[in-house]
Amino acid sequence: MCEYCGCQAVETIDELTREHDEVVRLISLLRPAHRDGDLSRMTETAREIAGVLGPHTRVEEHGLFPAMAEDFPEQIAALEAEHRRIEAVLDEAADGATPSDPAWPDRLMEAMAVLRDHILKEQDGVFPAALAILSTEQWEAVEAVRTEAGGTSCRPAA
């Protein structure tokens, strides 16, 4: 997605992109589970997605987004609102129990469609823009947040 601009040469962007790839892979597992009515599998996959998104979102919202908010205030606010919407649905499965709301599976699938579009916005817009506008000091601040937040060890398969 983002390879055309070279922003994956920046380690944090590369890690964020790999996390996006892992989330997309996990979303692909939700479709058959939803079709089959396998709520247990949907719940577990939702928890896995939330596990990837936890540190990922922290890096974006405490590192990358603040550095970009002055230049792109509306876009950053919209992305953060999407984070809250997605998190709200995923949080319903956080305790490991299958959510009791019979509408949850459909709401989860809707939230995952939002997440897929959200990922495209970040990879095709935010990441290349960050490469163009962030200073060395801002990148260092983003890297510090990544170090603090940790990662999800999403590494390509060998």
Side-chain angles (χ1 to χ4, degrees), residues 129-142:
L131 184 63
I133 68 169
L134 267 62
S135 68
T136 300
E137 292 79 20
Q138 289 170 312
W139 280 116
E140 288 171 355
V142 173

Side-chain angles (χ1 to χ4, degrees), residues 8-145:
Q8 285 180 311
V10 175
E11 185 175 345
T12 295
I13 297 299
D14 185 51
E15 289 177 4
L16 291 169
T17 300
R18 280 187 271 130
E19 290 164 352
H20 282 165
D21 292 345
E22 177 63 6
V23 167
V24 169
R25 184 189 73 77
L26 290 167
I27 290 170
S28 75
L29 301 177
L30 281 174
R31 289 188 191 101
H34 184 252
R35 180 193 63 235
D36 297 342
D38 189 341
L39 298 179
S40 176
R41 197 166 70 195
M42 290 183 75
T43 300
E44 179 57 34
T45 304
R47 292 180 69 217
E48 289 180 55
I49 291 169
V52 174
L53 291 179
H56 177 93
T57 300
R58 182 161 176 75
V59 172
E60 289 179 345
E61 292 191 356
H62 296 276
L64 193 59
F65 289 178
M68 300 183 73
E70 185 176 320
D71 292 314
F72 305 102
E74 295 87 14
Q75 293 86 347
I76 297 301
L79 291 169
E80 289 176 335
E82 289 173 354
H83 284 172
R84 299 296 82 76
R85 178 179 174 193
I86 293 159
E87 287 169 350
V89 176
L90 291 173
D91 284 350
E92 293 180 57
D95 65 0
T98 301
S100 60
D101 180 358
W104 180 78
D106 291 333
R107 287 188 299 105
L108 177 63
M109 296 310 292
E110 290 168 11
M112 295 303 96
V114 169
L115 181 54
R116 296 259 338 214
D117 289 342
H118 177 92
I119 287 169
L120 291 174
K121 290 176 204 172
E122 289 181 349
Q123 291 193 186
D124 293 343
V126 173
F127 296 169
L131 184 63
I133 68 169
L134 267 62
S135 68
T136 300
E137 292 79 20
Q138 289 170 312
W139 280 116
E140 288 171 355
V142 173
E143 292 291 335
V145 173

